[in-house]
Amino acid sequence: MCPITEAIIRKGGQWHRREKLVFTQYIFVECDLTDEAYYRIKSVCGVVRFLGHGKPEPLPTDESLYIKFLHNGDKIIEASKVYVTGTGEKMILSGLLREYTNNIIGLDLRQRRADVAITLHGKRHVITLPVISI
């Protein structure tokens, strides 16, 4: 699994939508890790190592649920809709970001992105998800 998000980028005075990997350095594989599967995966060009200290370790259940959720059924993560009230309060109305409201560390409506902190294999990662203001 390689979760992909929609990146909204301003170029030449106009907004463009592009696909972008959520985790640029990881590929997530769900399988029974037999010796045969290990060597098959290890032989793929670009695979450097597995998560774990010395031997491959699976992700904890809650973290693997993050990945499955972000994988979004093999669909691109579309921009979450954010509403700004008259007092300046921001409310997430729809999209994947609703599930991560407690993990948002930065929300930049001008740049149309939100930074979200998640933990993978005990290490904190910041991922960027697209947002649009309505």
Side-chain angles (χ1 to χ4, degrees), residues 105-126:
I105 57 174
L107 183 60
D108 188 345
L109 293 177
R110 185 170 179 263
Q111 292 296 319
R112 298 186 181 184
R113 63 178 162 232
D115 291 330
V116 178
I118 66 169
T119 304
L120 283 180
H121 212 306
K123 184 178 176 186
R124 183 176 183 257
H125 292 272
V126 176

Side-chain angles (χ1 to χ4, degrees), residues 31-94:
C31 70
D32 292 325
L33 194 59
T34 61
D35 287 344
E36 179 185 345
Y38 173 84
Y39 287 109
R40 241 175 131 187
I41 294 168
K42 191 72 173 158
S43 69
V44 173
C45 181
V47 173
V48 177
R49 65 182 178 89
F50 288 84
L51 290 176
H53 302 287
K55 66 176 193 164
E57 295 176 16
L59 286 174
T61 305
D62 59 332
E63 293 177 6
S64 66
L65 290 175
Y66 277 152
I67 300 305
K68 287 180 183 177
F69 188 69
L70 287 170
H71 186 56
N72 200 25
D74 207 21
K75 296 177 190 161
I76 294 173
I77 300 169
E78 295 183 358
S80 297
K81 293 180 179 152
V82 178
Y83 175 73
V84 181
T85 65
T87 60
E89 183 181 346
K90 298 171 182 125
M91 299 179 352
I92 316 288
L93 297 179
S94 67

